[in-house]
Amino acid sequence: MTIYDAILLGVIQGITEFLPISSSGHLVLVQEILGVNTPGNVFEVVTHLGTLLSVIIVFWKDLSLILNSIQKNETQKYIIYLVLGTLPAVIIGLTGKNYISGLFDSIPMVAGSLIFTGIVLLLSQKFNEKDKPLNWKKSIVIGLTQAIAMIPGISRSGMTISTGLGLGISGKNAAKFSFLLAIPAIAGAGLVTALDIQPGNISIPTFQLLLAFFSALIVGIFSLKWLLGLLESGKFHRFGYYCVAVGLITYLVI
């Protein structure tokens, strides 16, 4: 892996992890197009750590508020909602790990999933934004869509935010819940991947790994802030056109 490859893949991870266009799908396609091979799983773990840190930085005030008010009933309820929203991904991720891993080798699957993501995003425009409260039932439903997003090409943020909007949650609160859910999701995915790493099989130079980490971190911060701004301006659904276009091009070209 060259320095250019490390930076490029880190940037792609930072952009696509939070924008509703599927990070896993884009990494599969870019590696296929460029013929880039990331031996082992250490590269994936490093870039996941970069995007994980970017979520923590952007939502630090929200996390601090939760920690400082943990004795309050409302905060305890919110933490329970986060746990409930995380459980589907944990259960499906552990039980279907081998099957899901196999999907990453299917370019047609990625293309179809991107088109599906695009359709969901475009439909989200039809949801009249309301400000209904989050509850345990909505948390589980949002969590189920996060679990579905383990399929390469289906966007985690796109599915969870669109589902939140469809359930009557405001764009701001849907995004907040989605990205707080991302913390255990990204951390868990990184941990599961890290457990498969064989110490003697790490062949990527440390410098390239650091470049990938900081690329994912810095670009992730800007991407996340940009997405939050687009949600407030009502332009979130526009990513749907991009996902459908990339999916169709993938079917026809790759």
Side-chain angles (χ1 to χ4, degrees), residues 82 85-86 142-143 146 156 160 176-185:
L82 287 172
T86 301
I142 294 173
Q146 175 172 256
R156 194 206 66 82
T160 53
K176 175 184 173 182
F177 189 70
S178 170
F179 290 115
L180 290 180
L181 272 183
I183 294 176

Side-chain angles (χ1 to χ4, degrees), residues 1 17-18 28 39 88 105 114 140-141 151 156-157 164 180 183 185 187 189 194 243:
M1 175 181 288
E17 181 68 53
F18 304 118
V28 169
D105 296 325
L114 281 168
I140 293 175
V141 173
I151 297 172
R156 194 206 66 82
S157 63
L180 290 180
I183 294 176
C243 289

Side-chain angles (χ1 to χ4, degrees), residues 9-19 23-24 27 43-59 63 156 179-180 182-190 209 211-224:
L9 292 174
V11 168
I12 291 172
Q13 175 71 19
I15 294 174
T16 59
E17 181 68 53
F18 304 118
L19 299 185
S23 61
S24 58
L27 287 174
F43 187 86
E44 183 179 346
V45 172
V46 167
T47 53
H48 270 77
L49 286 174
T51 50
L52 174 62
L53 185 55
S54 64
V55 178
I56 294 173
I57 290 173
V58 173
F59 283 93
L63 290 170
R156 194 206 66 82
F179 290 115
L180 290 180
I183 294 176
I186 297 174
L209 291 176
L211 286 174
F213 171 82
F214 284 108
S215 298
L217 167 62
I218 296 170
V219 175
I221 291 173
F222 285 103
S223 298
L224 187 46

Side-chain angles (χ1 to χ4, degrees), residues 22-152:
S22 177
S23 61
S24 58
H26 276 73
L27 287 174
V28 169
L29 294 179
V30 170
Q31 291 184 60
E32 177 72 19
I33 293 170
L34 299 180
V36 177
N37 180 32
T38 55
N41 298 313
V42 65
F43 187 86
E44 183 179 346
V45 172
V46 167
T47 53
H48 270 77
L49 286 174
T51 50
L52 174 62
L53 185 55
S54 64
V55 178
I56 294 173
I57 290 173
V58 173
F59 283 93
W60 180 249
K61 288 184 179 179
D62 295 284
L63 290 170
S64 297
L65 183 61
I66 290 174
L67 293 174
N68 292 329
S69 62
I70 199 167
Q71 294 182 343
K72 294 183 179 180
N73 185 49
E74 287 301 312
T75 300
Q76 293 173 359
K77 281 185 179 180
Y78 198 83
I79 292 174
I80 291 173
Y81 297 157
L82 287 172
V83 172
L84 291 174
T86 301
L87 283 177
V90 173
I91 295 171
I92 294 176
L94 292 177
T95 58
K97 178 185 174 184
N98 293 333
Y99 175 76
I100 294 170
S101 296
L103 297 178
F104 282 77
D105 296 325
S106 174
I107 298 298
M109 170 62 73
V110 173
S113 297
L114 281 168
I115 294 172
F116 173 76
T117 295
I119 292 172
V120 170
L121 291 173
L122 292 173
L123 289 175
S124 72
Q125 184 184 16
K126 304 297 182 181
F127 302 145
N128 294 321
E129 185 169 318
K130 302 175 183 177
D131 195 11
K132 294 182 179 179
L134 185 68
N135 57 39
W136 69 270
K137 292 181 181 179
K138 293 177 183 178
S139 302
I140 293 175
V141 173
I142 294 173
L144 287 171
T145 61
Q146 175 172 256
I148 293 172
M150 290 182 180
I151 297 172

Side-chain angles (χ1 to χ4, degrees), residues 161-239:
I161 294 175
S162 295
T163 301
L165 293 172
L167 293 172
I169 303 171
S170 69
K172 179 180 179 180
N173 289 330
K176 175 184 173 182
F177 189 70
S178 170
F179 290 115
L180 290 180
L181 272 183
I183 294 176
I186 297 174
L191 177 60
V192 170
T193 305
L195 293 175
D196 291 333
I197 296 175
Q198 300 296 325
N201 293 335
I202 300 176
S203 57
I204 303 175
T206 302
F207 183 63
Q208 273 88 323
L209 291 176
L210 288 172
L211 286 174
F213 171 82
F214 284 108
S215 298
L217 167 62
I218 296 170
V219 175
I221 291 173
F222 285 103
S223 298
L224 187 46
K225 289 185 175 181
W226 183 38
L227 178 61
L228 294 174
L230 289 174
L231 268 168
E232 292 183 1
S233 63
K235 299 176 181 178
F236 175 72
H237 68 280
R238 294 185 180 181
F239 287 104

